[in-house]
Structure formats: structure tokens, C-alpha cells
Amino acid sequence: GAGVSQSPSNKVTEKGKDVELRCDPISGHTALYWYRQSLGQGLEFLIYFQGNSAPDKSGLPSDRFSAERTGGSVSTLTIQRTQQEDSAVYLCASSFGGLGNEQFFGPGTRLTVL
Amino acid sequence: AQTVTQSQPEMSVQEAETVTLSCTYDTSESDYYLFWYKQPPSRQMILVIRQEAYKQQNATENRFSVNFQKAAKSFSLKISDSQLGDAAMYFCAYRSVGNTPLVFGKGTRLSVIA
């Protein structure tokens, strides 16, 4: 596709369950970012992948959060033992490597933890 | 660490009028990028305008322009001839040089009154 895609669009889960959120970046983009947007808040950085380098995990809020990027393309964000405070919109973005390149965002996954 | 502050949670403007959204930021870096993103109800983040800190000239994109005051660390967005389709959340964002994550403000919700 032409843009960044994310699935599912919406996810409702019960507290304590694990969830996986998927991001398909734009073809050829080497950088991939995950952000979280909680109600009434701006976007909060979670994790960043650049090519084959080790990911920058400095934004992950707890060890229940993890992410991987397979083959330098698709990325999966996993939240284990979900809590109600994990409810948010999770946005993925991708960009070309290099200085100042624009990040293109996907439509996000709205996660609701009951 | 860099921070971005948007002091106006909500703004409204009459159709065809001009509105200015405020943004201030804090950084010790001398070179960086600043962005305004628009997020309509669809959740899709759309880049409105960008400014490179080393450029003194204010960026413009059609009806959108910025007032970049580097010494004051201020980066306001002016929307001229406001249209109904401009109604959305607007986020100011900062990025260091390199392919680094964005730092966002908490956003300003803009309403356009017909």
C-alpha cells in the first residue's frame, strides 16, 4: 500500500490478557517508531527501530511492553498482562533514513482494556 | 530532555478568519526541526508544516505559516482563511537532528465555526 498501515483498528481486551499490535511501514522506509496517545495527552514515544541497529527502547513504560521488527519491515508491539492504564491509541510511523526526513503515520490502533 | 508546551487546549475561529496556535519548547540544542501536525477525528496524523532551526525564514504552506522565534523558543502556527476542514487537533512537535523520535506537545483542539 501507499501508506503506513496498522492492525487491528480497534482492540478490546480484558485486564491481564496479552495483545499484539501490528504495523506495516511504507516500503523502503528504514526507520520505524511507535508512539502512544492517551486520552487528553500528546503523543508519547515508546520505541524506535533504525535499520539493523539495536532498537531505542527508552520510551517503553514497563517491561510488559516489547516490540520487534522482522526483516526490517513489519513491526509488532506486544503488551503483556494488560492493565487499564494501557488503554490508548497506539500510533506507528515510518521514515527514510537520513537527516530531517518526515515521519509518516499510520491510522493507529485504539486499545481498550476492560 | 526537550519539552514542548501548547498552552491553548482549545481554540475556535470563524470560517474565513485567521487563527494563531501557540507553541513553546525547551532545548539546549542549536540545530533541530519543528513541526505542526494535524489530527482529524480519523486519527491520521498529517504533517502541516515543518521548520528547520537553522533557517531564519519562516516556513509557509499555502494558508499555513509559522512564526519561528528561535531566541524565544517559540513556534506558532497561523491559519489564514480558515475552512471547516481545518477543524482538528493540532500538535506541535520537536525533533533533534538525525532520525530521532518526535517530542510532542499535548495539542490544541481547533473548532471552526460556520
Side-chain angles (χ1 to χ4, degrees):
Chain A
V4 178
S5 60
Q6 293 186 244
S7 61
S9 178
N10 292 282
K11 176 72 176 179
V12 179
T13 191
E14 294 179 347
K15 178 181 173 182
K17 300 283 189 182
D18 297 352
V19 295
E20 287 188 350
L21 312 180
R22 177 186 169 105
C23 172
D24 276 277
I26 292 172
S27 178
H29 280 188
T30 58
L32 187 147
Y33 310 80
W34 284 98
Y35 296 89
R36 179 170 71 175
Q37 184 176 18
S38 303
L39 186 64
Q41 301 294 316
L43 279 75
E44 167 192 21
F45 160 68
L46 296 177
I47 188 169
Y48 156 51
F49 298 88
Q50 171 60 60
N52 296 321
S53 302
D56 176 354
K57 303 179 182 180
S58 60
L60 294 178
S62 79
D63 59 7
R64 297 186 295 104
F65 288 72
S66 63
E68 63 177 20
R69 188 178 185 191
T70 54
S73 182
V74 173
S75 177
T76 302
L77 177 69
T78 300
I79 309 173
Q80 296 179 309
R81 304 181 303 281
T82 52
Q83 304 294 313
Q84 288 184 332
E85 60 262 28
D86 299 334
S87 296
V89 174
Y90 290 82
L91 290 160
C92 174
S94 70
S95 72
F96 285 111
L99 300 180
N101 284 307
E102 178 185 349
Q103 294 183 19
F104 292 83
F105 283 80
T109 294
R110 180 180 297 281
L111 175 66
T112 303
V113 182
L114 301 177
Chain B
Q2 294 81 26
T3 59
V4 177
T5 302
Q6 293 179 250
S7 59
Q8 306 154 316
E10 296 183 354
M11 292 281 285
S12 62
V13 62
Q14 293 279 349
E15 197 174 6
E17 296 295 307
T18 296
V19 64
T20 299
L21 308 184
S22 301
C23 173
T24 58
Y25 58 95
D26 189 27
T27 184
S28 59
E29 298 175 334
S30 60
D31 201 11
Y32 46 86
Y33 301 93
L34 295 165
F35 305 85
W36 278 97
Y37 280 89
K38 171 185 178 181
Q39 188 182 41
S42 67
R43 298 197 309 244
Q44 186 78 51
M45 295 285 283
I46 302 164
L47 178 64
V48 174
I49 199 166
R50 61 180 281 165
Q51 174 82 42
E52 290 86 352
Y54 65 85
K55 290 185 178 179
Q56 293 186 334
Q57 186 173 5
N58 289 325
T60 62
E61 286 287 343
N62 300 312
R63 297 183 295 107
F64 299 87
S65 61
V66 298
N67 183 3
F68 173 48
Q69 301 289 327
K70 190 172 183 179
K73 297 179 182 175
S74 172
F75 182 61
S76 61
L77 174 70
K78 185 172 82 171
I79 307 174
S80 303
D81 186 25
S82 297
Q83 300 175 0
L84 295 177
D86 295 334
M89 282 290 290
Y90 286 82
F91 291 96
C92 180
Y94 173 104
R95 198 172 93 199
S96 300
V97 172
N99 233 356
T100 54
L102 293 159
V103 177
F104 286 89
K106 292 191 176 182
T108 296
R109 182 175 301 282
L110 178 66
S111 301
V112 181
I113 303 165

